[in-house]
Amino acid sequence: MDAMTRQLTGPNVWTAADLESGEPYVRHLTETDLDALDNAFDLTDLIADLLDRLQNGMGYAILRGLPVGTRYTSEEAARIHQTLAERLGEIVPQNRDGDLSVLLEDARHPAQPSGTYASKAGAPFHTDPTDIVSYLCLAPAGSGGARVLASAATLYNSLSREHPEWLDLVSREYATDREGQEPPGEPGWTSRPIFSTNGGGTLTCSLSPKRIMSAMRFEDVPRLGAEEMTCLMYLESLLRRPGTAVHVALRAGDMEFVNNHTVIHSRTGFVDDPSDPDHQRKLRRLWIDIS
């Protein structure tokens, strides 16, 4: 595989330093865009731009400027978010209950499902088992809760320069824990390589170090060897290396889109402001398949 033996270039190869001059991943919604969303007008240009950013650009995009709480209620904003997702592809279930939309809010809320995303602690770096994950921010946290994103191609380039002897390791299949969210009757883990190439020869990534390690709780999952564990720890250290990942603070009304094949993501811990509903973190999440 050619992409596995060369340094990658292109717009999906980036570091935090490349984004210091601005926010190139943000598209500000215009009044024309909002009118189109209001009246179900043609959204071809908006969707084409979003897809281009996700598939041919840096793999990450934010649509900013949806006036939640003024022009739109939370429910109306959620419908707009869903409409855009449906134009991108197919909205798919996120858990064993078949939920197509998951609301992430105060981890103490009785309706909140279990899982890392239900915790106020920082989330580990991971990719999701869908093409695109999208969040609608209805309210940010009082403090913290930044989205943390890194280029998978940049990670691969660092690996190939510093430890080319591990290129074979990352192309092998690894069991990944489904954390109890598998559909009834299916195995609790799935298997896939960390780095591979798609039909067009483009590098694609599936990396969740925590879930790879926790998959060994299943008796039928092969144990990781010392070299494999060291490689995983190295990849994790690359993601946390200063300057690699960009931190993004979502604003109310932001709609975030992440290409899971080219961008690895996490979240910092957060604290809500109990006295201010506008600063109690609330996100609506969708998983989208576009293949």
Side-chain angles (χ1 to χ4, degrees), residues 60 123-128 133 135 147-150 207 239 256 258-260 263-267 287:
Y60 179 64
F125 277 103
H126 67 282
T127 56
D128 297 304
V133 59
Y135 294 87
R147 303 283 293 145
V148 186
L149 307 113
L207 177 61
L239 290 167
E256 179 192 53
V258 183
N259 184 335
N260 275 299
V263 175
I264 307 162
H265 52 100
S266 68
R267 168 184 54 75
W287 279 5

Side-chain angles (χ1 to χ4, degrees), residues 86-254:
E86 289 170 342
R87 297 293 195 278
L88 285 175
E90 178 186 3
I91 301 174
V92 296
Q94 302 178 37
N95 51 40
R96 67 182 295 117
D97 296 326
D99 292 330
L100 297 178
S101 177
V102 173
L103 184 64
L104 308 179
E105 53 184 353
D106 189 335
R108 296 170 297 177
H109 193 283
Q112 187 72 296
S114 63
T116 302
Y117 56 82
S119 168
K120 288 185 177 181
F125 277 103
H126 67 282
T127 56
D128 297 304
T130 186
D131 294 329
I132 305 294
V133 59
S134 181
Y135 294 87
L136 164 65
C137 180
L138 296 170
S143 63
R147 303 283 293 145
V148 186
L149 307 113
S151 161
T154 296
L155 186 73
Y156 169 81
N157 281 347
S158 296
L159 170 69
S160 64
R161 284 194 309 270
E162 299 175 11
H163 285 286
E165 73 277 12
W166 286 342
L167 290 178
D168 176 65
L169 282 183
V170 297
S171 65
R172 299 176 189 173
E173 299 227 340
Y174 289 82
T176 302
D177 195 342
R178 299 172 80 173
E179 297 186 324
Q181 295 305 317
E182 69 277 1
E186 292 193 8
W189 57 276
T190 186
S191 182
R192 49 185 179 262
I194 294 173
F195 287 111
S196 59
T197 55
N198 62 21
T202 301
L203 188 80
T204 184
C205 180
S206 176
L207 177 61
S208 302
K210 175 179 176 291
R211 294 175 186 169
I212 290 174
M213 293 183 185
S214 68
M216 289 189 291
R217 67 191 176 94
F218 296 100
E219 292 183 358
D220 53 346
V221 168
R223 306 299 94 174
L224 294 173
E227 189 175 28
E228 292 167 321
M229 290 288 288
T230 302
C231 181
L232 280 176
M233 293 170 65
Y234 165 78
L235 292 174
E236 179 83 20
S237 73
L238 282 180
L239 290 167
R240 301 187 183 280
R241 183 178 290 180
T244 297
V246 62
H247 287 60
V248 178
L250 294 183
R251 307 174 187 177
D254 279 357

